[in-house]
Amino acid sequence: MSAIQQQDGDLFELIESEKKRQAEGIELIPSENYTSEAVMEACGSILTNKYSEGYPGKRYYGGQENVDKIETIAIERAKKLFGAEHANVQPYSGSPANYEIYFALLNFGDTVMGLKLDQGGHITHGLPIGFSGKAYNFIPYEVEKDTGKIDMEKVRALAIEHKPKMIVAGFTAYPRDIEWRKFREIADEVGAIAMADISHTAGLIAGGELENPVPYFDVVMTTTHKTLRGPRGAMIMCKEKYAKDIDRAVFPGMQGGPHEHIIAGKAIAFGEALKPEFKEYAKQVRKNAVHLAEELKKRGFELVSGGTDTHLILVDLTNKNVPGKVAQSMLDSVGITLNKNTVPFDTRSPMDPSGIRLGTPAITTRGMKEPEMERVADWIDRVISNIDDLEMHKQIKEEVREMSLKFPVPGIK
Ligand code: DSN
């Protein structure tokens, strides 16, 4: 019996039930993935017991001889993976990491540009009721209504008009590759700091599938648990000239003790991402996404921007007469997990939007390839085209379960 089973039956049952859900279902949330067993082992290890405020060699507590080495390995691997001058691996997650960057490099009230939130930007990129929107003057840029893509000339014009201190590029619901170099040029033209949030695509960048902004952006944030396939957390990479400010903003500016068990998990995940197999993984994530997008289009689904260059697909369900919320819930009921999402220029509300967002990082980790993408597209189509046919949904749930069980989830026996 596991220690949890012996000690806490309620929690044991819930974790077992979640294991079953993960094993028997298709995970299409594009920001989710499965870490390796080694990463999970590190995250569940005795490192959770240790306090280590400060940085390797400069801590405020004793007993750091192992933790210092672990954090240093994580930092060195992160730098190697992305070609970074400096890396801070302590951020607890993406949102605090973005706030730490703003805190380090901006003054309150400064002007910042970021993608409009209901068009693919993140809540930390200027949500009016959030910290970033209240503390800074965010000016949103947009995607084009007809193409769903960003027009970089319009970004340039907006930057010239508003003279931001920072331009944030990198998004949570944008299926296309990002023109990093153009963002850099625009930032240079107006004297802004170029910041990239590569949380979604970090694994594809590390795997060589998408262009890497780290060598020429001032500061780059990524979460570690999405396409990068590490533990839940984040890191900040920056030019050496910003290193001190970033480190000070992370600790003691916004965080206390770093989570060294998670940092050990990050180190292991970065080590995995440095291996040749990770390149194959990143390539297949994209191939699967492109194939799934094509299969959905064949079945009459309208995709924002017409397709994908990444791991992520944004579907506008308006022509199917099924709101995103209903689609999410009915697909959930057959074991296919994705999330409702606004589409650019949505006429519905964020809680009840017109679209769904899906992606291939998790199912690719399980080894699914093009033939499985066709089955996934087919199930999505059958559920959405027969939204009230519960008998059909029951049958699909069984088919989803049967296929899923052929592709084990790491760590689930
Ligand atoms: N919550 C993440 C996502 O799902 O894209 C962004 O932080």
Side-chain angles (χ1 to χ4, degrees):
M1 279 207 293
S2 80
I4 303 178
Q5 189 174 14
Q6 287 180 49
Q7 181 183 320
D8 195 326
D10 291 346
L11 260 294
F12 179 76
E13 287 306 323
L14 286 167
I15 294 170
E16 287 303 301
S17 170
E18 176 60 13
K19 268 190 200 166
K20 187 168 147 64
R21 190 193 70 78
Q22 291 192 14
E24 295 183 0
I26 300 281
E27 184 54 72
L28 293 177
I29 294 175
S31 45
E32 291 191 15
N33 211 332
Y34 308 108
T35 67
S36 68
E37 284 190 78
V39 168
M40 282 188 273
E41 215 173 292
C43 296
S45 73
I46 44 76
L47 292 168
T48 195
N49 300 336
K50 189 73 199 102
Y51 249 122
S52 51
E53 284 179 11
Y55 289 100
K58 289 170 277 178
R59 306 279 192 185
Y60 290 83
Y61 296 77
Q64 307 295 338
E65 59 267 40
N66 303 306
V67 154
D68 270 5
K69 287 183 189 140
I70 289 168
E71 192 169 329
T72 302
I73 291 174
I75 291 167
E76 291 309 318
R77 287 183 186 170
K79 283 162 65 177
K80 187 166 174 200
L81 194 55
F82 290 96
E85 289 181 15
H86 179 78
N88 185 312
V89 296
Q90 294 193 0
Y92 301 141
S93 203
S95 299
N98 278 345
Y99 298 145
E100 284 151 9
I101 291 172
Y102 304 152
F103 187 54
L105 306 180
L106 301 172
N107 292 311
F108 292 131
D110 276 350
T111 297
V112 187
M113 278 173 53
L115 181 64
K116 201 161 186 257
L117 301 181
D118 56 6
Q119 298 191 7
H122 188 249
I123 50 172
T124 58
H125 302 173
L127 177 74
I129 59 161
F131 173 78
S132 60
K134 283 190 184 294
Y136 308 98
N137 173 36
F138 265 84
I139 305 289
Y141 52 90
E142 301 197 357
V143 299
E144 294 300 290
K145 207 166 188 167
D146 52 341
T147 62
K149 296 181 186 171
I150 296 166
D151 178 338
M152 294 305 294
E153 278 316 306
K154 290 195 178 160
V155 176
R156 169 174 277 122
L158 209 59
I160 289 168
E161 182 187 344
H162 292 281
K163 306 233 171 335
K165 176 112 180 259
M166 177 182 281
I167 300 179
V168 180
F171 319 112
T172 60
Y174 187 69
R176 294 300 178 175
D177 200 2
I178 297 167
E179 295 184 79
W180 299 117
R181 284 181 193 277
K182 290 211 175 132
F183 272 107
R184 175 74 260 185
E185 275 167 32
I186 295 167
D188 285 343
E189 200 174 325
V190 300
I193 293 166
M195 173 196 158
D197 178 341
I198 60 167
S199 294
H200 262 267
T201 51
L204 302 182
I205 291 169
E209 283 294 302
L210 295 176
E211 197 186 348
N212 180 10
V214 174
Y216 53 92
F217 263 53
D218 296 298
V219 58
V220 176
M221 192 288 291
T222 184
T223 51
T224 44
H225 50 273
K226 297 186 173 85
T227 48
L228 200 49
R229 218 161 57 177
R232 200 152 284 267
M235 69 166 156
I236 299 170
M237 293 168 280
C238 65
K239 293 285 168 214
E240 198 55 52
K241 69 171 173 174
Y242 297 116
K244 268 203 182 110
D245 290 336
I246 290 289
D247 285 353
R248 243 196 315 263
V250 173
F251 173 83
M254 291 201 125
Q255 295 189 178
H259 296 173
E260 294 294 344
H261 55 311
I262 303 295
I263 289 174
K266 289 175 189 174
I268 292 169
F270 300 156
E272 291 169 354
L274 282 162
K275 290 189 178 149
E277 304 89 275
F278 196 80
K279 284 197 172 24
E280 286 308 308
Y281 165 69
K283 184 180 282 183
Q284 192 63 43
V285 167
R286 261 184 107 189
K287 274 163 86 175
N288 281 351
V290 168
H291 199 66
L292 181 55
E294 288 307 316
E295 291 297 316
L296 288 168
K297 275 162 73 174
K298 271 194 214 161
R299 291 163 176 83
F301 285 92
E302 284 185 359
L303 309 189
V304 172
S305 84
T308 182
D309 300 321
T310 64
H311 61 300
L312 181 149
I313 300 164
L314 193 54
V315 184
D316 184 344
L317 291 173
T318 308
N319 68 332
K320 299 280 183 184
N321 281 320
V322 175
K325 187 173 166 182
V326 175
Q328 176 190 306
S329 146
M330 297 322 280
L331 286 163
D332 232 358
S333 76
V334 303
I336 294 178
T337 315
L338 43 67
N339 66 278
K340 61 179 185 277
N341 215 94
T342 52
V343 295
F345 308 97
D346 209 324
T347 50
R348 303 175 67 94
S349 76
M351 280 312 287
D352 187 14
S354 301
I356 48 174
R357 187 186 70 148
L358 53 147
T360 52
I363 51 178
T364 307
T365 295
R366 284 172 88 164
M368 294 183 198
K369 294 203 165 126
E370 285 85 341
E372 286 75 37
M373 298 308 113
E374 287 162 29
R375 298 199 68 190
V376 170
D378 207 49
W379 288 321
I380 293 175
D381 183 35
R382 280 163 64 203
V383 170
I384 288 178
S385 304
N386 302 280
I387 204 79
D388 296 319
D389 189 343
L390 300 187
E391 266 315 300
M392 184 189 279
H393 295 184
K394 223 164 116 187
Q395 169 63 26
I396 293 172
K397 183 172 185 173
E398 198 37 51
E399 291 170 20
V400 167
R401 180 175 177 277
E402 197 192 339
M403 189 184 90
S404 299
L405 289 174
K406 294 193 179 125
F407 295 90
V409 172
I412 302 182
K413 304 280 188 273

